[in-house]
């Protein structure tokens, strides 16, 4: 496959820091080979997410290269202060408190005001759907859906800048293009090198969600007691060759 010609236009200086912050915020979860999220959902549909993420060397070097291209020193690679401001402006997020544990690692907490509002859309289907307990039905349901049609909009609700950079990375999550996993990794390798492609191929996002009741079923994961667990390959998220559908009922 012939790699596409990619030309990165410099951004105006007044938005360069926001561009880099958004890119780093997205990659803190989506391009880390060691990322975990632990969430707690309350009965009123509010919740909290505890995040731990560390970038791998090749991915971190790529981010530094983009930062240098846009005139940013990019030290640390993941800046908790700018990430807090970027994510704090996203829909459905009440507060963000992340801190650097190393130059290329962050951890902290994200408070969600209402589960159904998380990265909510003004049109189409939201990323998160939530059905609370009702009279005669004490349990509830939490669903997550992401596909190539909704992916680009969902990503831009998180950060326009992150979407721009993931478009440069040619990820269907950002572009919506029809590109299979067997095509995507060789394309990334041809443009950014085998190292970046290998890190993407090995990366996984581990998620544990605690709900306000005993879990009765889980789609796309496993469960025990009040906890649902998911182990998601990064490649599945970036390419969306098959729509991602996860669900917890309790």
């Amino acid at each position: 496959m012939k790699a596409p010609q990619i030309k990165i236009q410099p951004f105006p200086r007044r938005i360069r820091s926001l561009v880099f912050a958004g890119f780093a915020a997205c990659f803190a979860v989506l391009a880390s080979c060691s990322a975990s999220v632990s969430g707690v959902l309350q009965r009123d549909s509010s919740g909290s997410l505890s995040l731990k993420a560390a970038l791998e060397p090749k991915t971190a070097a790529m981010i530094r290269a983009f930062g240098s291209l846009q005139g940013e020193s990019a030290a640390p690679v993941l800046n908790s202060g700018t990430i807090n401001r970027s994510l704090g402006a996203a829909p459905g997020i009440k507060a963000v408190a992340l801190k650097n544990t190393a130059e290329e690692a962050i951890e902290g907490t994200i408070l969600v005001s209402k589960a159904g509002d998380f990265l909510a859309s003004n049109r189409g289907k939201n990323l998160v759907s939530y059905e609370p307990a009702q009279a005669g039905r004490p349990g509830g349901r939490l669903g997550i859906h992401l596909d190539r049609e909704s992916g680009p909009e969902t990503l831009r609700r998180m950060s326009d800048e992150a979407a721009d950079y993931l478009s440069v990375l040619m990820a269907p999550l950002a572009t919506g293009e029809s590109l299979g996993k067997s095509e995507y990794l060789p394309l990334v390798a041809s443009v950014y090198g085998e190292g970046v492609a290998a890190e993407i191929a090995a990366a996984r996002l581990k998620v544990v969600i605690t709900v306000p009741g005993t879990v009765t079923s889980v789609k796309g994961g496993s469960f025990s007691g009040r906890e649902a667990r998911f182990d998601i390959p990064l490649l599945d998220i970036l390419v969306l060759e098959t729509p991602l559908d996860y669900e917890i009922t309790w």
Side-chain angles (χ1 to χ4, degrees):
M1 176 182 296
K2 184 179 180 180
Q5 296 296 317
I6 297 176
K7 183 178 181 180
I8 305 174
Q9 299 291 343
F11 293 93
R13 179 171 295 276
R14 65 180 179 278
I15 66 170
R16 286 176 182 172
S17 60
L18 292 177
V19 169
F20 190 78
F23 184 44
C26 184
F27 265 78
V29 176
L30 294 183
S32 171
C33 287
S34 54
S36 63
V37 177
S38 178
V40 177
L41 178 66
Q42 303 295 340
R43 291 189 183 277
D44 65 356
S45 84
S46 65
S48 63
L49 299 171
S50 296
L51 167 69
K52 291 184 178 181
L55 295 173
E56 291 298 310
K58 299 296 184 182
T59 301
M62 183 180 68
I63 294 176
R64 285 196 188 93
F66 279 123
S68 297
L69 185 64
Q70 299 304 325
E72 299 297 326
S73 60
V77 176
L78 296 179
N79 188 311
S80 60
T82 53
I83 294 173
N84 286 338
R85 289 190 291 273
S86 178
L87 289 181
I93 295 180
K94 182 178 181 180
V96 183
L98 300 175
K99 64 179 180 180
N100 281 97
T101 56
E103 181 178 328
E104 298 166 3
I106 59 171
E107 67 176 45
T109 303
I110 300 171
L111 299 182
V112 179
S113 54
K114 290 185 179 180
D117 292 342
F118 186 71
L119 301 181
S121 173
N122 293 325
R123 58 183 183 180
K125 189 173 183 179
N126 288 344
L127 173 67
V128 177
S129 59
Y130 174 71
E131 295 178 7
Q134 298 176 355
R137 183 173 62 82
R141 186 191 72 87
L142 181 72
I144 297 174
H145 175 84
L146 190 66
D147 56 33
R148 285 179 178 168
E149 182 178 355
S150 63
E153 183 187 0
T154 298
L155 185 59
R156 287 200 176 276
R157 289 197 297 274
M158 178 187 293
S159 167
D160 282 337
E161 295 78 21
D164 290 339
Y165 273 109
L166 284 178
S167 293
V168 172
L169 196 62
M170 303 164 293
L173 169 63
T175 66
E177 293 183 3
S178 179
L179 190 66
K181 289 183 284 188
S182 62
E183 300 169 298
Y184 179 67
L185 283 179
L187 183 58
V188 170
S190 69
V191 177
Y192 299 108
E194 294 285 351
V196 172
E199 288 181 356
I200 290 175
R204 306 186 76 87
L205 175 62
K206 298 181 182 295
V207 181
V208 178
I209 299 178
T210 302
V211 298
T214 301
V215 179
T216 57
S217 67
V218 165
K219 180 179 180 180
S222 60
F223 66 94
S224 176
R226 294 173 56 201
E227 288 187 351
R229 300 180 180 87
F230 304 90
D231 187 358
I232 310 168
L234 169 64
L235 191 58
D236 288 357
I237 301 174
L238 292 183
V239 176
L240 294 173
E241 188 169 5
T242 300
L244 300 183
D245 279 295
Y246 301 100
E247 183 179 278
I248 310 169
T249 58
W250 62 91

